[in-house]
Amino acid sequence: MVSRRLVPGEKTPLDGDDYDGRSASASEKSNITPAVPAAVIFKLLAFTAAMVAGPLGTYYLTLNTIFKGNTTFAGGSAAFMANVVLIAYVIVAMREDQSDALEAAEKEKKGR
């Protein structure tokens, strides 16, 4: 294995840059707010739980009570419930998007 001799005054890759550990804007506070609001995360978690529990609960509730052991109809009702949860999520997301647009329009009107 060949090794390279160090020349005095030459920087090695281990030396790196002259970084003293301070940032350029050390006096400014950093923004530590989350990128996504907590309400959005909670809605997503709620719809995730509904997407799991809704169809499974529907399947097992209707399997022996309504459809008397017919797994095809119980599976169909579970698929229907999954679509209901999905449509509800889309509606909630659209309303949230509309409310954000309305707030932006009100701020624009007040700014004039």
Side-chain angles (χ1 to χ4, degrees):
M1 182 174 197
V2 179
S3 63
R4 182 173 175 229
R5 294 182 189 222
L6 294 177
V7 178
E10 182 181 332
K11 284 189 176 181
T12 65
L14 298 176
D15 290 337
D17 292 330
D18 295 331
Y19 179 70
D20 62 356
R22 288 184 267 156
S23 66
S25 61
S27 62
E28 296 178 20
K29 286 195 163 214
S30 62
N31 185 4
I32 58 169
T33 58
V36 179
V40 173
I41 298 296
F42 292 138
K43 284 180 196 176
L44 184 62
L45 289 174
F47 277 104
T48 300
M51 186 58 89
V52 172
L56 283 174
T58 301
Y59 176 80
Y60 287 112
L61 284 174
T62 60
L63 180 62
N64 292 322
T65 57
I66 296 175
F67 299 122
K68 308 293 184 213
N70 189 344
T71 57
T72 302
F73 290 147
S77 65
F80 177 75
M81 184 55 68
N83 285 319
V84 167
V85 172
L86 180 65
I87 290 169
Y89 178 73
V90 169
I91 290 171
V92 168
M94 287 175 55
R95 284 188 179 173
E96 182 178 320
D97 190 37
Q98 289 174 352
S99 67
D100 291 343
L102 291 175
E103 288 175 8
E106 287 179 16
K107 284 182 183 179
E108 185 179 316
K109 286 180 183 177
K110 289 180 182 179
R112 288 184 181 180

